[in-house]
Amino acid sequence: MGRILIIIAIAAFMFYVITRVRAFRLQDSLEKRILESRARLALGATMTALGVNLAFFSFYTAIQLIVGAVFLIFGLANAIYGFRAHKHYAAQLD
């Protein structure tokens, strides 16, 4: 299960980088905000996958549990914020 989470984290990070570069090239517009919200969602998925992997599927030390919990909390917060922002901006696009 740990390997699957690492693959998910790498794929989500690659999607994050690609989306951030695409958003950086655009002028300030609604499409740029949509891409930025997608990037935030991908960053949240990356951090969540790494946090779950550190907290639950590795050797248990106190530092790994704490770092995993922090990654999990910040990853979920980024994912939720990115989802809400994407939902908001996508509704304005129509």
Side-chain angles (χ1 to χ4, degrees), residues 5-14 16 39-56 64-80:
L5 288 172
I6 294 297
I7 291 170
I8 290 171
I10 290 171
F13 184 74
M14 290 172 54
Y16 167 75
R40 186 176 292 269
L41 185 61
L43 181 64
T46 301
M47 291 179 70
T48 302
L50 290 175
V52 168
N53 190 31
L54 275 175
F56 301 115
Q64 283 182 334
L65 287 174
I66 292 170
V67 171
V70 168
F71 268 52
L72 188 61
I73 290 168
F74 282 117
L76 286 174
N78 268 324
I80 291 169

Side-chain angles (χ1 to χ4, degrees), residues 30 33-34 37 82-93:
L30 184 60
R33 291 176 190 235
I34 289 172
S37 65
F83 177 74
R84 287 183 180 172
H86 186 269
K87 186 177 169 183
H88 174 75
Y89 294 130
Q92 290 182 2
L93 187 63

